């Protein structure tokens, strides 16, 4: 039933001249607010979306890219500049905010990497812009390139930063080198 509601919402917004993804999003929100959701019944829908529909959607977004545009020095320079501003703006902003809230260096780095990752929304906006003629093929290619690069760089940075966060947490707890602390020899904590 949830799948049918989402499909009808998509069709309705498409018929109104809006993007189908907007209707799917709104109907998805409505379905999620309808009391108790049976996760077990929604599992096949989730599997279908994640394993089949989402890859097709992103593949079509990638097929619309014009990678030959990046061979032109002006477009390549613009792509590098946009990528640098995108990464620095979001990454540094999240890192500074995390540090100001008291997080450690590695936790702030992990938060910055996680926040830097773009993808779904950026791709949707770019596809709408290309379809409406607001974006040209070069600009579309740059936006999709930023989405791909930032999405691919997040997991390795997160993995490395979180390993350091866990390592620092073990050290702070006195569990360095994998040796558990002997709690029996410690005096009891006073409140």
């Amino acid at each position: 039933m949830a799948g049918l509601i989402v499909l009808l919402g998509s069709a309705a917004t498409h018929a109104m001249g809006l993007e189908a993804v907007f209707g799917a999003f709104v109907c998805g929100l409505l379905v999620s607010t309808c009391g108790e959701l049976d996760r077990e019944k929604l599992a096949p829908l989730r599997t279908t979306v994640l394993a089949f529909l989402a890859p097709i959607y992103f593949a079509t977004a990638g097929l619309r890219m014009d990678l030959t545009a990046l061979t032109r020095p002006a477009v390549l320079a613009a792509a590098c500049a946009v990528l640098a501003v995108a990464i620095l703006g979001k990454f540094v902003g999240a890192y500074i905010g995390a540090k100001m809230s008291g997080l450690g260096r590695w936790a702030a780095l992990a938060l910055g990497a996680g926040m830097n990752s773009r993808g779904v929304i950026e791709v949707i906006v770019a596809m709408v812009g290309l379809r409406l003629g607001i974006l040209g093929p070069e600009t579309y290619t740059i936006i999709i390139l930023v989405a791909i690069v930032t999405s691919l760089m997040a997991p390795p940075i997160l993995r490395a930063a979180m390993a350091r966060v866990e390592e620092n947490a073990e050290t702070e707890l006195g569990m360095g080198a994998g040796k558990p602390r002997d709690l029996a020899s410690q005096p009891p904590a006073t409140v």
Side-chain angles (χ1 to χ4, degrees):
M1 186 65 171
L4 181 62
I5 291 170
V6 170
L7 285 174
L8 288 174
S10 298
T13 54
H14 184 72
M16 289 187 285
L18 301 170
E19 285 300 309
V21 73
F22 179 68
F25 175 72
V26 170
C27 287
L29 286 176
L30 291 173
V31 167
S32 70
T33 60
C34 293
E36 286 288 320
L37 287 178
D38 188 359
R39 303 268 181 215
E40 198 172 292
K41 287 183 180 178
L42 288 178
L45 177 64
R46 179 180 167 85
T47 301
T48 302
V49 169
L50 292 177
F52 182 69
L53 297 176
I56 289 174
Y57 181 79
F58 289 114
T60 59
L63 289 173
R64 291 185 175 129
M65 289 179 69
D66 180 15
L67 293 177
T68 59
L70 295 174
T71 60
R72 295 193 299 272
V75 176
L76 183 60
C80 291
V82 168
L83 184 61
V85 168
I87 291 171
L88 288 175
K90 207 164 186 188
F91 192 94
V92 171
Y95 181 86
I96 290 170
K99 289 297 288 178
M100 288 174 60
S101 69
L103 290 178
R105 178 179 66 201
W106 293 106
L109 181 69
L111 185 65
M115 291 296 292
N116 184 48
S117 178
R118 293 162 174 81
V120 178
I121 301 301
E122 191 170 279
V123 170
I124 291 169
V125 170
M127 286 183 71
V128 171
L130 183 67
R131 189 177 64 80
L132 295 175
I134 297 169
L135 299 177
E138 295 87 5
T139 308
Y140 175 81
T141 300
I142 291 170
I143 292 171
I144 299 299
L145 181 71
V146 168
I148 291 169
V149 170
T150 58
S151 295
L152 290 178
M153 70 185 279
I157 295 173
L158 277 170
R159 217 174 290 118
M162 290 309 295
R164 294 298 296 261
V165 167
E166 291 169 6
E167 194 176 284
N168 288 345
E170 286 179 359
T171 304
E172 288 176 9
L173 290 174
M175 297 178 69
K179 298 178 184 174
R181 218 169 39 159
D182 183 13
L183 296 177
S185 66
Q186 298 293 321
T190 57
V191 179

